[in-house]
Amino acid sequence: MPEVIFNGPAGRLEGRYQPSKEKSAPIAIILHPHPQFGGTMNNQIVYQLFYMFQKRGFTTLRFNFRGIGRSQGEFDHGAGELSDAASALDWVQSLHPDSKSCWVAGYSFGAWIGMQLLMRRPEIEGFMSIAPQPNIYDFSFLAPCPSSGLIIHGDGDKVAPEKDVQGLVDKLKTQKGILITHKTVTGANHFFNGQVETLMGECEDYLDRRLEGELVPEPAAKRIR
């Protein structure tokens, strides 16, 4: 997969990019865990998500947030990282102007950034939020959440306790016009040690069903005048 360097708001950003053979193929952006706790684009889950989308014909990008690997800049507590993600999407879209839709998948800290990107970019039609941390990060900006997506976590996650993730899911599920799919991986911790295969099986199943037109809300019935 080609190594790429593109311009971000705080200097160059390093990524791995795989274009689809189809000009109008959807785009997928994968966002890595917390930069100050060892998170990089080479995280095993980030890599597996990249490969999952690529195998299904998406134009796919994962990249290092500012200050990680060969990406320039310094950690910016989320604000700068959101700008990095927006720049990454801009960069891919500039190369694929015929692509009409986009997905974002994020793990841990990346899930928080991904959900913020979702709020800013109406072309994002699906998301995967893996082990989000509503106990640490504020998700109140999801008002309303604009797209259907998957929230998945382990029931043994001590970093993002199950009750906090459940609270986020319950809040999002009250919204009309979207469908939140919630999955729990039994026995998995925040890092999905020994459970990455199970996690990826759930993500693949969700993506395949979405690509077949499932797991989206029924269109509202038109009122007869």
Side-chain angles (χ1 to χ4, degrees):
M1 67 201 65
E3 205 172 308
V4 290
I5 297 282
F6 55 93
N7 288 329
R12 294 189 303 275
L13 293 171
E14 171 192 21
R16 298 288 182 279
Y17 157 71
Q18 192 66 55
S20 171
K21 294 184 176 74
E22 295 291 325
K23 282 176 92 174
S24 60
I27 291 165
I29 298 252
I30 322 297
L31 304 174
H32 71 70
H34 202 295
Q36 293 193 310
F37 298 100
T40 80
M41 67 172 172
N42 296 321
N43 170 277
Q44 178 65 11
I45 290 170
V46 171
Y47 174 82
Q48 296 275 5
L49 289 166
F50 179 96
Y51 187 62
M52 173 186 77
F53 280 104
Q54 185 208 324
K55 259 194 340 197
R56 285 157 179 79
F58 283 69
T59 285
T60 312
L61 175 73
R62 69 186 203 270
F63 69 96
N64 278 329
F65 287 125
R66 56 185 62 200
I68 297 297
R70 291 165 62 203
S71 291
Q72 294 177 322
E74 292 174 8
F75 178 65
D76 192 35
H77 305 280
E81 287 73 20
L82 175 57
S83 297
D84 293 344
S87 289
L89 183 51
D90 287 342
W91 179 78
V92 183
Q93 287 175 330
S94 72
L95 297 175
H96 298 271
D98 295 328
S99 181
K100 299 289 181 283
S101 69
C102 177
W103 279 64
V104 62
Y107 167 35
S108 192
F109 172 84
W112 180 53
I113 301 297
M115 297 299 270
Q116 292 178 77
L117 187 65
L118 180 75
M119 290 299 293
R120 292 179 163 210
R121 306 297 282 257
E123 68 272 27
I124 297 177
E125 64 177 24
F127 71 85
M128 290 188 186
S129 216
I130 294 152
Q133 297 164 273
N135 53 317
I136 296 173
Y137 302 116
D138 182 6
F139 280 83
S140 62
F141 57 81
L142 290 168
C145 178
S147 303
S148 297
L150 171 69
I151 294 177
I152 184 165
H153 59 109
D155 67 1
D157 191 333
K158 301 278 192 291
V159 179
E162 194 175 11
K163 68 174 174 49
D164 295 296
V165 180
Q166 187 65 55
L168 173 63
V169 169
D170 291 344
K171 184 181 153 197
L172 295 182
K173 279 193 165 179
T174 62
Q175 292 184 25
K176 295 198 166 46
I178 61 161
L179 188 64
I180 300 296
T181 300
H182 178 213
K183 295 281 183 180
T184 307
V185 179
T186 307
N189 62 15
H190 192 66
F191 308 99
F192 296 91
N193 295 127
Q195 299 267 34
V196 172
E197 213 170 290
T198 308
L199 167 70
M200 291 313 303
E202 291 284 7
C203 291
E204 287 170 5
D205 178 64
Y206 179 77
L207 183 55
D208 289 339
R209 291 179 69 186
R210 278 290 300 270
L211 294 175
E212 286 163 14
E214 297 176 42
L215 300 177
V216 286
E218 295 289 321
K222 286 186 179 152
R223 290 165 72 178
I224 298 167
R225 288 173 186 275

